[in-house]
Amino acid sequence: MRIVLVLLFLSLSIKVLAASELTLKEALLKAGASSPELKASEYDYQASLGALKMERSVFYPIIGIESGYQKFDSDSEYISGTFSNVFGEYKFDLGGSGYFQYRAASLEADIAALKREKAQKFIQWSIETKFSRALYLQESLKLYSTALEQNKTYAQMAQKKKSSGLASDADVIEFDLNEAILRSDLEDIKSEFNEAMNDLRASLGLEYTEELALKGNLAHFHISENLEQVKSKLNKSSYGFRASGLEAQRASYMKSSSYGGFLPELTLRATYGRRGMDEPEGPEKTYFVVARWELFSGFKDLGAYQKASALQEKTEYEKRLNDRNLPAVLETEYKKFLAIQNRVDLESQNRERSKKYLNTVMSEYRRGVKNSADLKSASMQLLETSLRDLKYRFEGIKQKEVLQSLLGNSISFEVYSTDHKVN
């Protein structure tokens, strides 16, 4: 059994040594170079530019070459042969459908560019949150390991007291039970930590098998700008405002393009060459003006108009909702950050008080004033306040991302010290 434990310890030690240390600064640099989200937004932008070129083609004529083989076989004659010609064709956009579709595609490209810009900016905030979540869980694992070591020490103290007749079996069982509870909770933290690390690796474009050891501390931030200062930036920088405006304008262009379905099509076509094998041997020039008006097409054009109208109304409604609700949402999230900010200040003080309380209980336990239940309670209280301190630090960083994402711009924060002295 001892050999197995030694081998397990050695394998874990080698695994830790092989892990690459990663700081937040390094994670941000990796994200800028290889983030899947950034690459996806770039592909979407390039695709929108291609779609814009496709829509622009309606302003140009079509020029090409035709060639083929024909065969006529009847009772009176049998003819077969080839034909070929150069042709040019231009369709007149009487309703302006092509123009409005081009304008809509242009706005689609603007929306894709906006999303790319958003991804480039948001990835920094997102990676900070994901890194901080993994770091929070990594530090939580350390706290549980420390608590287990302390619990082992307390169990040994209780055993010595029992041997001296100063404690009962219940005192020893108290710490055995506590160890089982701590180990059970530890398994949950390990599972969450693995999930957080895999999420971080995926966002950095790393292989899920790559071992990482996070380096750094969870900072505590205070917001340096008041609510009115933050709100004043909303109209200019919010991606929600900007994107909803572009979407509404794009839907308006698509509705305008749908009117063309009710108008006739006019096409100019010219050829040079032989249009068919029954035409003259020598090349000929031909010109055609074709007017085509579909009087009934299964209500396709009416359906296209209804669809475009509904989408326009939807985007305008969403824009109005966004314009009305976003300031209120920003205010709610701002106040939520302040609440978390204050909780970190309180929990960091509670952590220091819990340390002092544990030391006091330990001293009184040695003198026989306090019992095992008191010592276990004091040690668990220190663990719980330390975990809450970490939790609210992480939630403050996560709330930073929420605020800055809503605003679409960076907000001024300052790192605040929580090295409190408590009486």
Side-chain angles (χ1 to χ4, degrees), residues 193-327:
F193 176 64
N194 288 332
E195 178 190 337
M197 289 299 290
N198 286 334
D199 188 23
L200 180 61
R201 288 188 190 97
S203 297
L204 297 178
L206 302 176
E207 294 293 333
Y208 75 95
T209 54
E210 185 168 345
E211 292 296 331
L212 295 175
L214 305 185
K215 185 179 179 182
N217 297 306
L218 283 174
H220 169 43
F221 293 95
H222 277 213
I223 193 164
S224 303
E225 299 180 58
N226 62 41
L227 180 58
E228 294 308 314
Q229 288 175 317
V230 175
K231 278 186 175 180
S232 66
K233 304 176 184 177
L234 195 58
N235 288 340
K236 292 182 180 179
S237 62
S238 168
Y239 287 98
F241 273 137
R242 293 159 68 188
S244 64
L246 290 173
E247 289 285 2
Q249 185 60 57
R250 177 180 174 276
S252 176
Y253 284 139
M254 291 304 296
K255 180 181 178 181
S256 297
S257 74
S258 68
Y259 292 128
F262 300 107
L263 299 175
E265 296 178 357
L266 187 62
T267 304
L268 173 64
R269 180 180 173 88
T271 66
Y272 178 77
R274 194 177 182 195
R275 292 186 298 111
M277 62 159 194
D278 56 341
E279 299 295 327
E281 289 291 336
E284 61 176 341
K285 300 176 183 176
T286 62
Y287 303 94
F288 302 90
V289 176
V290 180
R292 173 187 171 88
W293 196 351
E294 294 182 357
L295 299 179
F296 181 75
S297 58
F299 303 109
K300 177 185 72 174
D301 298 321
L302 180 61
Y305 170 75
Q306 289 178 337
K307 176 183 176 182
S309 297
L311 288 176
Q312 182 193 24
E313 291 175 6
K314 177 188 173 185
T315 54
E316 289 179 348
Y317 173 71
E318 289 175 342
K319 184 179 184 303
R320 289 195 300 271
L321 280 181
N322 206 38
D323 293 350
R324 184 183 66 195
N325 295 339
L326 198 53

Side-chain angles (χ1 to χ4, degrees), residues 53-243:
K53 289 180 180 178
M54 289 171 60
E55 296 298 338
R56 189 187 294 146
S57 66
V58 300
F59 301 120
Y60 300 99
I62 298 173
I63 299 173
I65 300 173
E66 288 182 333
S67 182
Y69 172 81
Q70 289 181 331
K71 177 180 178 181
F72 294 97
D73 188 357
S74 68
D75 294 337
S76 59
E77 63 178 340
Y78 175 87
I79 307 173
S80 64
T82 61
F83 67 92
S84 61
N85 64 78
V86 178
F87 71 90
E89 186 176 286
Y90 186 78
K91 292 184 178 181
F92 292 91
D93 189 9
L94 299 182
S97 295
Y99 167 76
F100 289 116
Q101 287 177 6
Y102 171 74
R103 292 298 301 272
S106 178
L107 285 175
E108 186 67 36
D110 290 342
I111 292 170
L114 188 66
K115 288 180 179 178
R116 183 181 64 169
E117 177 190 333
K118 177 181 176 181
Q120 290 170 342
K121 189 174 287 187
F122 281 32
I123 193 66
Q124 303 294 310
W125 306 327
S126 173
I127 291 299
E128 182 182 12
T129 298
K130 291 180 179 181
F131 181 93
S132 299
R133 181 191 176 210
L135 184 60
Y136 150 57
L137 293 167
Q138 178 179 280
E139 295 305 304
S140 297
L141 288 173
K142 292 178 182 178
L143 287 176
Y144 269 97
S145 297
T146 300
L148 281 165
E149 287 298 319
Q150 287 178 338
N151 191 77
K152 183 179 178 181
T153 301
Y154 301 152
Q156 292 171 348
M157 293 170 61
Q159 187 65 47
K160 287 180 181 179
K161 279 197 168 190
K162 178 190 171 186
S163 302
S164 303
L166 300 175
S168 65
D169 287 337
D171 292 274
V172 178
I173 295 172
E174 184 85 39
F175 294 111
D176 288 342
L177 177 60
N178 195 44
E179 179 182 354
I181 293 172
L182 286 171
R183 290 193 181 281
S184 177
D185 292 342
L186 185 60
E187 290 304 314
D188 286 339
I189 301 295
K190 284 180 180 177
S191 177
E192 286 187 53
F193 176 64
N194 288 332
E195 178 190 337
M197 289 299 290
N198 286 334
D199 188 23
L200 180 61
R201 288 188 190 97
S203 297
L204 297 178
L206 302 176
E207 294 293 333
Y208 75 95
T209 54
E210 185 168 345
E211 292 296 331
L212 295 175
L214 305 185
K215 185 179 179 182
N217 297 306
L218 283 174
H220 169 43
F221 293 95
H222 277 213
I223 193 164
S224 303
E225 299 180 58
N226 62 41
L227 180 58
E228 294 308 314
Q229 288 175 317
V230 175
K231 278 186 175 180
S232 66
K233 304 176 184 177
L234 195 58
N235 288 340
K236 292 182 180 179
S237 62
S238 168
Y239 287 98
F241 273 137
R242 293 159 68 188

